[in-house]
Amino acid sequence: QKEVEQDPGPLSVPEGAIVSLNCTYSNSAFQYFMWYRQYSRKGPELLMYTYSSGNKEDGRFTAQVDKSSKYISLFIRDSQPSDSATYLCAMRLEGGGNKLTFGTGTQLKVEL
Amino acid sequence: GAVVSQHPSWVICKSGTSVKIECRSLDFQATTMFWYRQFPKQSLMLMATSNEGSKATYEQGVEKDKFLINHASLTLSTLTVTSAHPEDSSFYICSARSGGLDKNIQYFGAGTRLSVL
């Protein structure tokens, strides 16, 4: 079993839709959670960073962490074609030497 | 956000040659830099962690003599793929972590696509 599970997609949605991306994890010691966006043949770009359970909002993006269920989500409101990319969840242990454990990424396509 | 520059973005080389990839933090001092490898449609796999002025720590299964890492300053780390072979063809990405308030965050470079013929 992988430490972090993420549906690879592809996920296709119409422009303007609300997108829900999710990751589950098995190690309850993960304390820091991140979402990265990666365009084709580019490096990952940090979108959201959270520590505690609950919601964090930044513009059209909302990150949700449920530590009791070991489940994290990223919601994208009013999705745009420019949101088409691969979304990677990543997490880190407390004092884990900053080593990130990544999900496999979900490929998102927002269509006109 | 912080900017990490990676160079070159794409390199093609002959089998048996060595290739050097540079990773620079442009607007912050990176106490720690990381090197990842990514195969098509797969996630990032950590190869090694380097701290300025000390030897890199390699992940299990990564050959340290094959992938030489140097972190000579707080803004520059290099990865040298020695005696490259076609199976080394991949997308290599670096990231950097500052020692400041956002020390838990890694900022990534744009990646280097290596093609070994």
Side-chain angles (χ1 to χ4, degrees):
Chain A
Q1 182 189 10
K2 292 181 181 177
E3 278 194 292
V4 180
E5 297 278 358
Q6 185 176 10
D7 188 335
L11 174 64
S12 291
V13 300
E15 184 179 9
I18 296 175
V19 176
S20 174
L21 303 166
N22 311 294
C23 286
T24 58
Y25 60 96
S26 57
N27 190 346
S28 57
F30 284 127
Q31 294 294 321
Y32 300 93
F33 304 91
M34 285 137 275
W35 284 96
Y36 287 87
R37 177 176 62 195
Q38 185 177 24
Y39 291 111
S40 181
R41 301 189 177 191
K42 297 291 183 184
E45 171 194 0
L46 181 67
L47 287 176
M48 300 290 283
Y49 165 66
T50 56
Y51 172 72
S52 56
S53 284
N55 293 352
K56 180 178 180 179
E57 190 173 318
D58 184 1
R60 295 187 295 114
F61 299 95
T62 299
Q64 190 174 78
V65 174
D66 183 346
K67 289 186 178 180
S68 62
S69 300
K70 296 200 277 285
Y71 186 89
I72 66 170
S73 300
L74 176 70
F75 298 97
I76 307 174
R77 290 184 299 281
D78 188 25
S79 56
Q80 304 294 312
S82 58
D83 294 327
S84 298
T86 296
Y87 290 80
L88 298 154
C89 64
M91 44 199 80
R92 187 176 82 78
L93 303 171
E94 180 77 59
N98 295 294
K99 176 180 176 179
L100 294 180
T101 300
F102 284 88
T104 53
T106 298
Q107 186 181 358
L108 172 67
K109 295 180 181 178
V110 180
E111 298 171 332
L112 292 168
Chain B
V3 179
V4 175
S5 173
Q6 189 171 341
H7 178 81
S9 58
W10 190 16
V11 58
I12 302 173
C13 70
K14 291 183 179 179
S15 185
T17 61
S18 294
V19 174
K20 179 184 282 189
I21 303 169
E22 290 189 350
C23 181
R24 294 181 185 271
S25 56
L26 297 186
D27 52 0
F28 67 101
Q29 292 186 326
T31 54
T32 307
M33 287 186 169
F34 305 84
W35 288 95
Y36 294 84
R37 186 171 179 175
Q38 186 178 34
F39 290 104
K41 298 193 177 182
Q42 294 189 24
S43 192
L44 285 75
M45 297 300 296
L46 181 65
M47 298 174 67
T49 302
S50 73
N51 293 292
E52 184 266 338
S54 62
K55 289 184 178 180
T57 302
Y58 290 82
E59 294 298 300
Q60 191 173 13
V62 178
E63 299 175 60
K64 62 178 69 174
D65 295 329
K66 173 84 173 165
F67 300 99
L68 300 179
I69 291 171
N70 184 286
H71 192 162
S73 76
L74 284 171
T75 60
L76 174 65
S77 177
T78 60
L79 168 68
T80 301
V81 183
T82 62
S83 186
H85 288 92
E87 58 266 29
D88 298 322
S89 299
S90 188
F91 193 52
Y92 293 87
I93 311 175
C94 71
S95 71
R97 179 186 75 87
S98 76
L101 291 176
D102 59 351
K103 61 182 178 181
N104 293 313
I105 297 174
Q106 291 183 27
Y107 297 95
F108 285 83
T112 296
R113 184 162 304 280
L114 171 63
S115 298
V116 184
L117 303 178

